[in-house]
Amino acid sequence: MITAPRALVIVDVQNDFCEGGSLAVAGGAEVARRISAHVEENTRGYAAIVATADWHEDPGEHWSDHPDFKGTWPVHCKVGTDGALFHPGAEPAFERVEAIFRKGLHEAAYSGFEGFTVEGDRRIPLADWLRERAIEEVDVVGIATDHCVRATALDAAEEGFATTVLLDLTAGVAPDTTAAALDELARAGVTLDGRVADGDAPS
């Protein structure tokens, strides 16, 4: 059976989004470990494995001393801090990551498709990088289901990739926003596989 070239997109599995971080999501550290196990077990199923990262220096109103946790947030993933680093639980997965797409240096950026990687003197957006490798399908995993995973998966579908979110390899911020995100993803034609990790699935 011939299958279309598929990529795994690991979204924002960073210290600040895991327990102990400035914008921690419950279950984030466990998701990091699950992603590593998934990569170990399924490496041959992917033509490419990539990651995205929040990478903020001065994102303006995206950061706030009085965040509403909807459009404004505590300081997180600041360039040069431990919080911006990938969680240790994801290290085995990152041994197989081919490119990292950083986003949001001077603005809010939720989707990995807003990010770019640098190859030589080229800044390559995620969609272009995937197309250069003839990728047709993507699996999206990471943090958080209702924010950056949602935005990345929606953009992947919009870019024409057959998109699946592996829900047991994601963690959501809150049940209500996660439920809304899953509804939106389903309406956009994104395949939802599994259940959001650690009891964060909507009831």
Side-chain angles (χ1 to χ4, degrees):
M1 178 178 172
I2 299 174
T3 59
R6 177 180 292 268
L8 179 67
V9 181
I10 303 171
V11 177
D12 298 5
V13 185
Q14 293 165 268
N15 286 329
D16 270 345
F17 297 138
C18 297
E19 289 82 350
S22 66
L23 191 50
V25 177
E30 177 60 22
V31 160
R33 289 187 285 271
R34 291 185 189 183
I35 289 171
S36 288
H38 177 79
V39 168
E40 184 69 26
E41 295 168 5
N42 297 279
T43 299
R44 294 183 180 180
Y46 293 110
I49 299 175
V50 301
T52 74
D54 258 18
W55 196 245
H56 297 312
E57 185 173 90
D58 181 13
E61 295 180 358
H62 185 61
W63 283 349
S64 173
D65 292 332
H66 304 285
D68 61 16
F69 295 93
K70 295 178 181 178
T72 60
W73 308 91
V75 174
H76 61 277
C77 298
K78 185 174 183 179
V79 175
T81 67
D82 287 344
L85 300 178
F86 294 107
H87 189 273
E91 287 179 2
F94 275 79
E95 293 177 3
R96 293 173 171 83
V97 166
E98 296 179 45
I100 297 170
F101 295 83
R102 303 191 188 277
K103 55 190 172 69
L105 191 64
H106 297 294
E107 60 190 355
Y110 295 91
S111 170
F113 286 85
E114 297 177 77
F116 63 88
T117 193
V118 176
E119 293 183 357
D121 59 355
R122 298 176 63 207
R123 289 165 47 124
I124 308 173
L126 177 54
D128 292 350
W129 193 95
L130 294 172
R131 291 194 181 99
E132 287 175 5
R133 287 152 183 81
I135 298 299
E136 298 178 21
E137 303 179 0
V138 296
D139 288 348
V140 182
V141 302
I143 308 170
T145 320
D146 36 351
H147 295 284
C148 293
V149 169
R150 165 194 162 275
T152 299
L154 287 173
D155 279 355
E158 179 69 22
E159 291 284 352
F161 299 102
T163 304
T164 299
V165 176
L166 303 179
L167 294 176
D168 57 342
L169 302 180
T170 72
V173 171
D176 56 345
T177 52
T178 298
L182 299 189
D183 286 345
E184 185 177 8
L185 289 166
R187 290 195 304 271
V190 173
T191 299
L192 303 175
D193 184 359
R195 182 174 174 84
V196 179
D198 292 322
D200 289 328
S203 57

